[in-house]
Amino acid sequence: MEPPVFEEFEPAGDCGCPGCVHRRRVLACAPAGGSVARPAAFRPLVVAAAASAVVAAQAAPALAAPHTAERPGVPGVPAGDEPATPQGPRAPLYGPVGRPDDPADPSIPATTRAITRADIIERARRWVARKVPYDMTAFWSDGYRQDCSGYVSMAWNLPGNEWTGSLGQYAERISKDELQPGDMLLFHNASDPYGGSHVVLFGGWTDGARTTYAAYEQTPPHTLQRTTPYAYWNNSASYVPYRYKGVTGGTAVAKGVSEATQAPKPFPGTARFGPGANNPHVTELGRLLVGRGGARFYATGPGPRWTDADRAAVLAFQQAQGWQGAAADGLPGPLTWELLLTGGGRDIPAVEDPHGVPGYPGQAAFRPGAVNGHVTRLGQQLVRKGFGRHYVTGPGPRWGEADRRNVEEFQRAQGWRGGAADGLPGPETWRRLFS
């Protein structure tokens, strides 16, 4: 479809139309924290039917209200027929003071940027971890608008904030069977684009029959990842699968959801785990746990034989979800398995040992594009140890080449060579650095 034409229009301060009433309510309850300051005057954009059309004050579109009720039995899912996730219009990225960074005409599609599937999922999980509040008029600290289309724009690393009517220009339609992590499921409601449209990121199948999947989405009250029926909770037949044109790596998929996508695997059963178990499922479980912060429980790495290390790591993961009693017994059940495969839930938190060495947070904390406090802590310790010469402005929370090169120099100072000095901190590098 042709991109919409917009006309700027400043309504009266006491305008009583539903759109202005909703805007004043949103601005009055604006979230603090990571949100970027808004422009001094937020001007609603009105879709013009034609260039010569005369737009009156009463023509401002009514914006759908936020979720007010939940579908019975499904927490977080709205009642009614529509997703109720109003979105903002197409716009450039916003800077730290709430002003456009790029004055380029947003109606001109930019060249797609190359990005891997793993990076798309990592960027998507970043907002999930920070619980970015849903707000169609606010912009997060990375410059992207805090609504569903701004979220997908961020995950795909697009040069601006798109909307459901323009995201398709950066993608190509695919079939359900072709879906892989990082693709999107798009519902653009032409009859009500700003109140009845929605878009989610596909994170991988969660069952062998391919009836449910891990969806990453920006929805009230904040970004979340949850198991979702295909194609969505409502308006399912209207959602269309798309693949970003700039995705690289062929069929490579993001860590944590690859197994569920490439070869959907249901829970293998409780008999596969526990004392005496010896099978590939135990190895797979261990690798998933290491990626979620459980590396410190394994002295020699996950293997096919069930050990106390597996039970301790499973228990730590279950407790990280807030489970207690029989729900946290150190033995994986269907829900534990699902969260590990799809990347859902909370990671195992790092802890300090009796000697003051912080617990190794796992390899996932130092993947390309990772942003977290562990990266900052690592960098600060490298500087203290005299291995920070590659930092220009850091250290900071975003993992980068300067971090990798500093870690590599530290590893070489230990006498390590080859793959043992690759610049990626493992448990032993971490232990020696903080000892």
Side-chain angles (χ1 to χ4, degrees), residues 62-83:
L63 301 176
H67 293 317
T68 56
E70 294 183 348
R71 184 183 297 272
V74 187
V77 179
D81 295 327
E82 302 297 339

Side-chain angles (χ1 to χ4, degrees), residues 34-37 88-89 91-96 98-101 113 115 123-124 126-127 132-163 167 170 218 223 244 398:
S35 299
V36 173
L93 295 182
Y94 271 67
R99 300 185 183 280
D101 278 343
R113 300 170 175 175
I115 188 172
R123 292 171 68 87
R126 197 179 304 163
W127 275 30
V132 175
Y134 185 93
D135 192 332
M136 58 174 286
T137 66
F139 298 83
W140 196 241
S141 55
D142 53 16
Y144 290 96
R145 192 176 56 245
Q146 296 168 213
D147 59 14
C148 63
S149 48
Y151 179 53
V152 173
S153 299
M154 178 279 299
W156 283 1
N157 195 27
L158 298 184
N161 285 286
E162 300 300 322
W163 73 309
L167 279 169
Y170 291 84
Q218 180 69 350
T223 322
Y244 176 50
R398 184 182 299 277

Side-chain angles (χ1 to χ4, degrees), residues 9 11 15 17-20 44-46 55-63:
F9 152 75
C15 177
C17 76
C20 290
L45 299 178
V46 181
V55 181
Q58 291 78 9
L63 301 176

Side-chain angles (χ1 to χ4, degrees), residues 125 206 214 216 225-227 256-257 288 292 317-318 320-323 333-347:
R125 290 185 63 187
T206 58
Y216 292 87
Q225 181 269 313
R226 60 181 170 185
T227 298
V257 294
L288 291 170
R292 301 300 299 274
F317 180 76
Q318 292 171 333
Q321 314 314 309
W323 304 343
L335 183 54
T336 300
W337 185 258
E338 176 186 322
L339 292 176
L340 288 170
L341 276 180
T342 62
R346 301 182 182 90
D347 290 347

Side-chain angles (χ1 to χ4, degrees), residues 28-52:
C29 302
S35 299
V36 173
R38 297 175 177 78
F42 175 80
R43 297 183 177 182
L45 299 178
V46 181
V47 179
S52 60

